[in-house]
Amino acid sequence: MTGGSLPTPRVESNRPAISIVVPAYNESAGLPPFVSVLSRTLDGAGLISWELLLVDDGSTDPTWAQIGALNAADPRVEGIRLSRNFGHQRAQWAGLAHARGRAVITMDADLEHPPALIPEMVRRWREGDAVVQGIRADDPDLPWHKRITSRLFYRIYSLLSGQALPPGSADYRLIDRAVVQELLQFREEGLFLRGLVRWVGFRQSEIDFVPGHRTQGASRFTTMRMLRLAWSGVSSFSVVPLRLAIFLGFATAGAAFLELVYALVMRLGFHRTEAGWASLIAVISFLFGMLFILLGIIGEYLGRVLSEV
């Protein structure tokens, strides 16, 4: 078991067939039942070899001690301890960097991602799918506002980024070693693995699942964390927000021209304006229009920098 925040990938010739990467933050009570169900599923499916990487994402409870106990009971269960809480996406990335399997499955430790789906994922992988993406069905117990905001995010993301991300795309997926190697090249700050997995291409398929019941506690994925993840996804893959400024600039410049025409008509035709009013309105509108156009041009160059990076 190792520690560190951003580990370098390890490569070994004696690879297991499957690696399962599971971020864990304050999951000490839920890890034993999760590992028990997962190991029974994997062994029952007849997989030749597998390893489980539990990534302790800076937990403040005895999660790391629990991982040590699970490792002592079954050496196939290994642990990675991050130096602090880096977040779910970084924890997944750290697990990918340490995974040795020819294919890697990422999932959560609360059993909402049903392990019973893994044999079907492996079957599709063996038939040639490099990515098998889990698609989460709507949970009837999920608050209505979370269901609406989730679907809205996927629609907005797909529209702005230019790549379709199916509603319900979860961090429950199988990815081939070739895909893992591509993902490990991205060390950007705003990691959004759901988008990256889709973006790198390869042959992909989707598999629907009904979320299981949490074994312990309640979800810590708050609305604020969801909004931060959504913004990371949009800002990492889309330059549309940057280009909005140039459209606003032209719209404002057009409005300034119409306002100038109106002011001149009122001044020359009806003499109903104060002296200097028309000039003031025209200058202010024109300058705001030019400002937005210049901001749009700067945004276009920033977008090119983002694309190159």
Side-chain angles (χ1 to χ4, degrees), residues 2-44:
T2 61
S5 57
L6 284 177
T8 55
R10 58 174 178 167
V11 179
E12 297 180 20
S13 58
N14 186 23
R15 289 176 174 170
I18 302 294
S19 295
I20 299 95
V21 171
V22 181
Y25 178 68
N26 292 345
E27 298 278 2
S28 60
L31 284 179
F34 166 76
V35 173
S36 176
V37 172
L38 183 67
S39 60
R40 287 201 307 269
T41 301
L42 296 176
D43 291 338

Side-chain angles (χ1 to χ4, degrees), residues 7-307:
T8 55
R10 58 174 178 167
V11 179
E12 297 180 20
S13 58
N14 186 23
R15 289 176 174 170
I18 302 294
S19 295
I20 299 95
V21 171
V22 181
Y25 178 68
N26 292 345
E27 298 278 2
S28 60
L31 284 179
F34 166 76
V35 173
S36 176
V37 172
L38 183 67
S39 60
R40 287 201 307 269
T41 301
L42 296 176
D43 291 338
L47 297 177
I48 299 174
S49 59
W50 56 270
E51 67 173 1
L52 171 60
L53 297 177
L54 299 173
V55 185
D56 182 1
D57 188 20
S59 299
T60 57
D61 72 346
T63 292
W64 183 243
Q66 187 64 261
I67 293 175
L70 293 168
N71 172 258
D74 188 345
R76 295 176 297 181
V77 180
E78 302 183 23
I80 303 168
R81 190 180 195 184
L82 304 190
S83 59
R84 63 170 175 83
N85 179 245
F86 283 88
H88 188 269
Q89 299 294 287
R90 283 287 176 182
Q92 274 196 357
W93 195 95
L96 292 176
H98 276 81
R100 297 177 297 126
R102 296 192 295 275
V104 180
I105 295 173
T106 60
M107 62 189 304
D108 292 340
D110 52 19
L111 288 178
E112 287 192 1
H113 295 163
L117 210 62
I118 292 178
E120 174 62 18
M121 287 182 167
V122 173
R123 184 188 68 80
R124 293 193 184 189
W125 168 62
R126 286 173 171 167
E127 291 178 353
D129 290 340
V131 177
V132 183
Q133 174 65 58
I135 303 296
R136 181 187 182 114
D138 283 338
D139 186 351
D141 297 329
L142 196 67
W144 64 269
H145 67 277
K146 284 195 173 184
R147 290 199 297 269
I148 292 176
T149 53
S150 175
R151 290 188 173 275
L152 183 63
F153 161 71
Y154 285 110
R155 288 183 181 275
I156 293 175
Y157 175 87
S158 299
L159 177 65
L160 294 181
S161 67
Q163 60 174 359
L165 191 62
S169 296
D171 285 316
Y172 187 22
R173 67 180 72 87
L174 179 147
I175 50 181
D176 184 76
R177 168 57 52 182
V179 182
V180 173
Q181 294 302 120
E182 293 296 325
L183 293 176
L184 292 179
Q185 297 183 45
F186 296 94
R187 290 174 174 259
E188 58 196 64
E189 175 63 26
L191 274 177
F192 184 61
L193 289 173
R194 297 179 198 181
L196 285 175
V197 170
R198 198 80 177 178
W199 183 84
V200 295
F202 295 90
R203 176 174 160 180
Q204 304 193 12
S205 67
E206 300 166 4
I207 184 168
D208 297 327
F209 72 92
V210 177
H213 295 289
R214 294 182 62 90
T215 54
Q216 299 288 334
S219 174
R220 287 181 288 272
F221 199 67
T222 62
T223 301
M224 185 57 64
R225 291 183 63 186
M226 181 176 65
L227 290 174
R228 285 200 297 266
L229 180 62
W231 175 245
S232 293
V234 171
S235 61
S236 296
F237 288 90
S238 175
V239 297
V240 172
L242 290 173
R243 289 174 175 165
L244 288 177
I246 197 166
F247 292 109
L248 288 174
F250 282 114
T252 307
F257 176 76
L258 295 176
E259 184 69 23
L260 177 60
V261 172
Y262 170 77
L264 290 174
V265 170
M266 294 299 293
R267 177 63 178 171
L268 300 177
F270 298 95
H271 304 286
R272 294 182 179 178
T273 61
E274 298 292 335
W277 178 80
S279 300
L280 181 63
I281 291 298
V283 169
I284 292 176
S285 300
F286 177 75
L287 289 178
F288 269 105
M290 291 302 298
L291 176 63
F292 275 113
I293 290 174
L294 292 175
L295 286 175
I297 294 173
I298 294 173
E300 184 66 27
Y301 279 102
L302 286 175
R304 291 178 182 273
V305 172
L306 174 64
S307 298

